[in-house]
Amino acid sequence: MIKPGSIIRNVGITATGMSVPDRVLTNQELETMVDTTDEWIRTRTGVIERHVATPGTPASELAKPAVLRALDQRGMKPEELELIIVTTITPDMFFPATACVLQEKIGAKNAWGYDLSAACSGFLNGLVTGYQAVASGTVDNAAIVGVDVLTSVTDWTNRDHCVLFGDGCGTFLLEPIPDDRQGIIDAVLHVDGSGGQYLYMLGGGSLNPPSHDTVDAGMHFLHQEGRQVFKVAAAYMAQATTEVLEKNGYTIDDVTLLVPHQANLRIIEAVAKRLKIPREKVLINIDRYGNTTSATIPIGVHEAAAEGRIKRGDLIVLTAFGGGYTWGAILIKWGCSPHFSPVG
Ligand code: UT7
């Protein structure tokens, strides 16, 4: 497991990748499907359009190009990949793990891997466990893959939910880096199981094995008590961000970019207001993608790096809140350039 003589190594994000389905679903199209308006969706959520997968598209199929892009950016062959962690609540199937399906699809024949489920905070949890595997010397690299096909568990007749979500994948490649002032610095993660009653999918598991009755009752669809979740999401993301900054002797003024989970523009604005961080330092792309669950954060970071919004040495904070409840924040000193130059 942990190689003899290993010491804790610094871990950096040495490449990123993303992919979304081609099909774009606009608010105007949704107006023809349910009793909603473009104006309501824009003003209440900030979403203008989202990418949606063709029904039956497995999460692994969205993940494949994202991971291959990251490997290509790093100049790494799939066979060199050692660990794949897929964070998702919409896996291809219960088992085998989507990580196993993906390993085969991309030809990463020397990698082991597993799936991790923490809803919208999944990517943060995946990043922490991937960090630990690389930092400890258990592996020399890991692909953390945040992917969700939330439209596969969306009730398209329910206007409360169907306007919110999109499909997508984002991935980070983690490797040891020599510079101890860069890379993943620290993380805080939290769970409050009492929040589980507000955001869930009841059917399909051991509690309610799938049957005609569970399907008739719509238990295979995501259910969210939006107002309840809304009340706590901003406060908890702001708290976690402050917690991880203070633990490491930083203030919000030191942060170049805050990358929050993209569930609702009003939540993102409330987080920024609580933290007193100017809007130009907050990543917002919910208008183009909607809520892609596990994928919002890696997609945001991938785009920010590609656009040159984050540069080597910049301090960035990733924060998420989601079903569970689960939430947290991760502090990173960016070590990649947009046209990636390998470090270590
Ligand atoms: O990513 C995981 C974590 N999730 C979140 O953080 C999501 C948190 N929650 C939210 O983002 C918001 O609560 C929603 C976007 C889900 C809903 O926004 P809201 O401002 O909380 O709306 P609401 O549920 O309080 O509904 C207000 C009104 C209702 O009508 P009445 O009862 O006031 O007549 C709804 O029926 O808006 C109505 N409504 C809609 N109207 C047009 C709900 N959905 C729609 C819709 N189009 N799509």
Side-chain angles (χ1 to χ4, degrees), residues 33-273:
M33 296 161 61
V34 284
D35 180 17
T36 191
T37 60
D38 173 47
E39 203 264 336
W40 191 96
I41 304 171
R42 274 176 200 254
T43 55
R44 306 301 285 183
T45 74
V47 184
I48 296 174
E49 60 186 32
R50 70 288 289 145
H51 291 252
V52 297
T54 310
T57 305
S60 60
E61 209 53 38
L62 270 187
K64 180 180 168 181
V67 179
L68 289 177
R69 261 170 222 152
L71 292 175
D72 185 53
Q73 191 186 44
R74 178 66 178 90
M76 189 183 276
K77 294 191 191 77
E79 311 86 271
E80 295 175 72
L81 197 55
E82 294 187 23
L83 171 61
I84 302 169
I85 301 174
V86 173
T87 71
T88 186
I89 52 169
T90 49
D92 288 19
M93 51 199 135
F94 272 175
F95 72 93
T98 299
C100 304
V101 181
L102 184 61
Q103 184 251 20
E104 203 269 331
K105 279 189 176 174
I106 63 173
K109 58 184 183 197
N110 297 308
W112 57 285
Y114 52 91
D115 291 0
L116 186 157
S117 164
C120 297
S121 312
F123 194 78
L124 298 189
N125 285 266
L127 208 46
V128 168
T129 50
Y131 163 86
Q132 288 164 342
V134 177
S136 63
T138 305
V139 292
D140 284 331
N141 62 60
I144 316 303
V145 187
V147 60
D148 267 300
V149 188
L150 236 285
T151 59
S152 66
V153 293
T154 297
D155 178 356
W156 289 101
T157 65
N158 182 338
R159 69 175 184 175
D160 291 347
H161 304 146
C162 74
V163 303
L164 304 173
F165 298 101
D167 303 324
C169 178
T171 187
F172 286 1
L173 184 66
L174 303 185
E175 290 178 85
I177 57 170
D179 189 338
D180 64 3
R181 294 156 305 170
Q182 292 190 341
I184 297 171
I185 296 174
D186 202 0
V188 295
L189 294 173
H190 296 285
V191 166
D192 174 6
S194 70
Q197 60 189 307
Y198 302 119
L199 185 45
Y200 54 79
M201 197 179 94
L202 277 180
S206 47
L207 176 64
N208 297 295
S211 67
H212 288 291
D213 289 344
T214 64
V215 172
D216 289 346
M219 289 161 78
H220 55 298
F221 293 131
L222 170 141
H223 180 84
Q224 173 173 249
E225 303 283 329
R227 277 183 226 180
Q228 290 294 337
V229 180
F230 194 100
K231 275 186 211 163
V232 284
Y236 284 13
M237 282 194 279
Q239 270 170 25
T241 300
T242 304
E243 197 183 334
V244 80
L245 286 170
E246 282 179 356
K247 240 178 106 186
N248 291 279
Y250 291 108
T251 73
I252 197 71
D253 296 336
D254 298 313
V255 174
T256 303
L257 190 69
L258 177 72
V259 185
H261 172 54
Q262 310 281 307
N264 186 317
L265 181 59
R266 290 184 294 138
I267 294 175
I268 297 168
E269 287 172 344
V271 172
K273 194 170 165 202

